[in-house]
């Protein structure tokens, strides 16, 4: 559960004639939003509320409810929207590659201003979306997708709900009344939604967890596994591109480490499903000839032999030796190796102009030993240790808000022998996805209040006049069932992501 206190609240009030008790009255130029982390998840969920027009509706569409991205390349950063479409309701969620899974429903009769209606909208990466009106399913789009994303806020705002502003302005001025807002961590079935329409508690069984298919697809493991770790030591050097351009425009959104920002930007009137609607927003940070080729300059003398891409863009990557590889349609994460190139420029040619790259990483992979550096700090991951140091509390809060309940397994890495408390079974998810967040505290012994003291060690990078040159990970033999066929037998794919120490949303 996330923050229950509104983040923005202006020109809204409570009225006594709600669908069930008191209700929210939202004025035309008012706003009301809550922080999304911990309150709503992108991969799957259901949003439910009662709605009243308050005054007569017509053919002009207007926004009823919004959910916004934590970061994005679009102007309004809309991830989910529920609208009055002029004759009924529209609703959509946006997948990680800018396409929208959208449904539309036409009412038999225009609702009266004083009439309360129950609206529920559910989404799931394995099933698409479903729209319910007054407890009855009225529209669905059955599909599979990659919906996982970082979200910022949700609530009532006519024009924009984004990290940089929340507002109802200009031709996005249309309030209404809302009652009994509820958010669930899974796609509810028809029986559960019918109960909500009666203002009854729905019967919900089991955990709101994702499927193996969705997990593998998100990580690019629904095809061939990533390249094998075939030597005792594998060194992966991340290549920072010296320049990234789309024609003559600087374009860092596809290499900034943030999955929600993309190259190209957003073509709102595009061939991507669901993006061209009755609100004709301008294309954002794009040009008519943009999105066709991305030019990435490798620093002089730097070597590169592997590229990882997240995003649905498909086409070819070329270098000084010609075409290095072809990326097929339908893949959202891929890793491709090629003959080593020193310096020069890489060119990604995009077949479908509007289909984006969320992130492109360049690496030089070899069997070289790890750098000696000037000093090494060593940490041991012990899953029996309770990760309760207060200097990692902010990161734990971020994990709890950003990730679904089954994706929150967290361990703490400490120097051998450091003081810590043992964890209980209740500190781990009851049903866990195959993911672990490893937290390395900035100092050792930062114990929480009202707990036994932990001896503080002078083991930190504070006052250290050095920069982080790399991270060395010793991976033990894994006593786990293999899931994929490798070149010489069964293998286990791994996805290791090093997070920005001061910006956990960035890889």
């Amino acid at each position: 559960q996330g923050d229950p206190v509104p983040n923005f609240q202006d020109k809204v009030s409570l009225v006594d004639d709600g669908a069930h008790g008191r209700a929210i009255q939202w004025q035309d130029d008012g706003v009301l939003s809550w922080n999304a982390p911990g309150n709503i998840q992108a991969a799957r969920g259901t949003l439910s509320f009662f709605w009243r027009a308050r005054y007569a509706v017509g053919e002009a569409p207007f926004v009823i409810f919004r959910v916004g991205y934590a970061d994005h390349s679009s102007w309004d950063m809309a991830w989910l929207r529920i609208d009055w479409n002029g004759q009924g309701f529209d609703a959509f969620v946006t997948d990680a590659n800018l396409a929208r899974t959208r449904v539309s429903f036409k009412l038999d009769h225009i609702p009266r201003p004083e009439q309360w209606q129950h609206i529920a909208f559910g989404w799931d990466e394995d099933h698409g979306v479903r729209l319910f009106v007054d407890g009855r399913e009225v529209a669905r789009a059955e599909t599979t997708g990659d919906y996982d994303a970082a979200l910022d806020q949700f609530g009532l705002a006519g024009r924009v709900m984004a990290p940089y502003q929340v507002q109802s302005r200009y031709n996005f001025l249309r309030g209404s009344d809302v009652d009994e807002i509820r958010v669930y961590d899974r796609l509810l079935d028809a029986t559960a939604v019918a109960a909500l329409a009666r203002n009854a508690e729905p019967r919900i069984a089991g955990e709101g967890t994702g499927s193996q298919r969705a997990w593998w697809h998100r990580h690019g493991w629904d095809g061939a596994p990533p390249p094998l770790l075939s030597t005792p030591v594998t060194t992966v050097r991340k290549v920072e591109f010296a320049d990234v351009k789309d024609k003559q425009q600087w374009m860092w959104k596809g290499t900034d480490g943030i999955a929600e920002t993309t190259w190209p930007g957003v073509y709102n009137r595009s061939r991507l499903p669901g993006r061209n609607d009755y609100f004709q927003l301008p294309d954002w940070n794009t040009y008519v000839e943009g999105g066709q080729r991305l030019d990435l300059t490798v620093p002089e003398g730097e070597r590169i032999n592997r590229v990882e891409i997240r995003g649905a863009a498909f086409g070819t990557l070329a270098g000084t030796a010609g075409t290095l590889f072809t990326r097929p349609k339908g893949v959202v994460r891929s890793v491709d190796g090629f003959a080593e190139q020193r310096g020069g420029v890489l060119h990604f040619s995009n077949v479908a102009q509007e289909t984006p790259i969320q992130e492109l990483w360049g690496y030089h992979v070899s069997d070289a030993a790890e750098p000696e550096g000037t000093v090494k700090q060593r940490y041991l991951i012990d899953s029996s240790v309770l990760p309760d140091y207060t200097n990692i509390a902010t990161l734990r809060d971020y994990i709890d808000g950003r990730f679904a309940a089954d994706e929150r397994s967290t361990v703490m890495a400490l120097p051998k022998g450091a003081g810590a408390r043992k964890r209980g079974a209740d500190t781990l998810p009851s049903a866990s996805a195959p993911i672990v967040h490893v937290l390395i505290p900035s100092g050792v012994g930062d114990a929480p209040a009202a707990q036994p003291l932990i001896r503080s060690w002078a083991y930190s990078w504070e006052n250290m006049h050095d920069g982080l040159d790399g991270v060395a990970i010793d991976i033990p033999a894994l006593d786990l069932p293999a899931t994929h066929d490798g070149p010489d037998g069964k293998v286990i794919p791994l996805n290791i992501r090093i997070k920005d120490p001061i910006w956990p949303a960035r890889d």
Side-chain angles (χ1 to χ4, degrees), residues 394-409:
T394 301
L395 288 176
R396 294 200 312 270
D397 290 343
Y398 166 77
I399 292 166
D400 289 344
R402 167 63 180 87
F403 296 93
D406 61 329
E407 300 176 22
R408 297 174 188 164
S409 295

Side-chain angles (χ1 to χ4, degrees), residues 228-281:
L228 190 68
L229 296 175
S230 57
T231 57
V233 176
T234 300
T235 294
V236 180
R237 176 174 171 79
K238 185 176 186 291
V239 177
E240 296 291 351
F241 296 107
D243 207 356
V244 184
K245 285 187 175 182
D246 183 341
K247 295 193 177 295
Q248 294 302 309
Q249 181 189 18
W250 273 344
M251 183 53 70
W252 299 99
K253 297 278 188 179
T255 58
D256 59 4
I258 304 168
E260 289 74 27
T261 60
T262 60
W263 167 82
V266 176
Y267 291 93
N268 278 303
R269 293 160 289 184
S270 77
R271 293 166 293 182
L272 293 176
R275 284 224 73 96
N276 190 12
D277 69 17
Y278 33 76
F279 295 134
Q280 286 290 330
L281 297 177

Side-chain angles (χ1 to χ4, degrees), residues 272-295:
L272 293 176
R275 284 224 73 96
N276 190 12
D277 69 17
Y278 33 76
F279 295 134
Q280 286 290 330
L281 297 177
D283 295 337
W284 195 248
N285 199 32
T286 56
Y287 296 91
V288 66
E289 295 182 347
Q292 299 180 52
R293 196 178 84 173
L294 187 65
D295 300 323

Side-chain angles (χ1 to χ4, degrees), residues 377 379 440-443 459-465:
Q377 291 187 296
Y379 298 85
I440 304 175
S442 58
Y459 200 92
S460 170
W461 48 82
E462 188 176 0
N463 298 323
M464 189 179 291
H465 299 287

Side-chain angles (χ1 to χ4, degrees), residues 2 5 48-49 55 75 109 152 154 163 179 198 230 264 307 320 324 373 381 403 411 436 482 502 506:
V5 179
S48 162
F49 55 89
Y55 56 90
W75 172 80
H109 304 285
D152 182 59
F154 66 98
D179 199 0
R198 300 192 304 270
S230 57
V307 162
T320 55
L324 302 177
I381 298 172
F403 296 93
V411 297
V436 176
I502 60 174
R506 181 174 180 267

